[in-house]
Amino acid sequence: MIEESNIVTLYDEENNPIDYEHLDTFEVDSKVYIVLLEVLENGEENDEVCIFRLEEDENGEDLLSVIEDEAELMAAFEEFENRLEDIDE
């Protein structure tokens, strides 16, 4: 993971770089989540966020984990929406 200001570069299965805008990092039930928005080329609009659980590997390095549990993902998404509402007020 490469981070420059609020842009995070992740790599797909074929090692192709994909840039994301870091929107938020927060905690729910003692787990840390990170919300990213893919940066599209040519000024295209994107409104689909990606939410990952932030963990540490055995070397203490940050690791983004895909959330496979639907209830956990929904809880994280609801917290993100609540945080957005608080910002808008």
Side-chain angles (χ1 to χ4, degrees), residues 21-71:
E21 181 181 359
H22 174 235
L23 299 180
D24 200 3
T25 301
F26 56 90
E27 188 174 321
V28 175
D29 296 331
S30 301
K31 296 177 184 173
V32 178
Y33 297 93
I34 184 169
V35 182
L36 303 175
L37 179 68
E38 185 176 354
V39 177
L40 301 177
E41 295 182 19
N42 303 324
E44 294 178 49
E45 293 290 320
N46 186 6
D47 60 358
E48 192 170 311
V49 298
C50 299
I51 301 178
F52 297 95
R53 185 173 49 251
L54 185 61
E55 300 177 342
E56 285 187 3
D57 66 12
E58 60 276 355
N59 298 320
E61 298 290 324
D62 287 342
L63 176 70
L64 298 181
S65 295
V66 173
I67 304 167
E68 295 182 13
D69 180 87
E70 187 72 25

Side-chain angles (χ1 to χ4, degrees), residues 70-82:
E70 187 72 25
E72 179 184 359
L73 182 59
M74 290 308 298
F77 185 70
E78 287 176 17
E79 176 63 21
F80 174 64
E81 284 184 317
N82 291 337

